[in-house]
Amino acid sequence: MTEFVYPLTDVEKTRLRAGLEAAFTIPIIDDVEDFVWEALFHYVKDIPLPDPITQGRSKQLFDAIASDGRGWSLKTLVSRNFTVGSSFEFVIQRANIFQKAAQLGFPEGLNSSSDIANLGAALIRHWNEKHQRDCIAQNVTDPRIVILLKNRLRKRLAYVEFAYPILQEADYRWRWSREGGFGLQGWKDGQVHLKWYPSGTQLFQVFKMPENAYYFELEWQRATLSNFVENVIRTL
């Protein structure tokens, strides 16, 4: 089953391009990521941006929230290849399922020799617990994930917005990436969608670039530092 992709409106595409071009021209910004990307995304969706200085920043799942219940987890990635069908992955959580085995439904404990179906089920439960907890805490009823992909020069980009529901245990089959156990892979519909490495407890989610992502190019030039500062001061 292919993840559902939400399209940008024409207005949102215009705002995305304008916001990115503005950000990349600013000489005191090294890239569009983290809070810079969060701020631009709020501009794209025309939703209020919390002030990180006076209101702080949350470590919860959703980086942007609309009043209608939509919530977005925001990611960026620099990649040489994000053509249709190419894959990319992100760490979504540290999942120490051995330590938390009992609360995940395995009172007898888990280790790297446990049945891989149980290990996979524990990973999904661990992730779903955070997903559901943060949805409730952040009043999100329509969870989504957005990825902005950029090439090295930040001139060729792609935007994709997926639905981001909880994971279903029954959808996945599990196997070790190599004999003897190294990384555990969660397979769904014939493709790897999840990866977990016991040594670092990192859980990765794998995505594939869809045909209906928004692919676009930008033209921008860095402003000089003195001109940028002087222009900002003049507008204050």
Side-chain angles (χ1 to χ4, degrees), residues 36-66:
V36 176
W37 173 224
E38 292 175 23
L40 282 177
F41 184 84
H42 282 74
Y43 170 72
V44 172
K45 295 293 183 179
D46 195 21
I47 55 179
L49 175 66
D51 186 332
I53 295 177
T54 59
Q55 297 173 270
R57 295 183 66 193
S58 169
K59 292 186 178 180
Q60 293 173 303
L61 180 57
F62 301 101
D63 304 297
I65 303 165

Side-chain angles (χ1 to χ4, degrees), residues 9-20 43-44 214:
T9 66
D10 289 342
V11 170
E12 289 172 340
K13 289 177 182 178
T14 298
R15 293 172 76 91
L16 175 64
R17 294 171 63 92
L20 288 168
Y43 170 72
V44 172
Y214 177 46

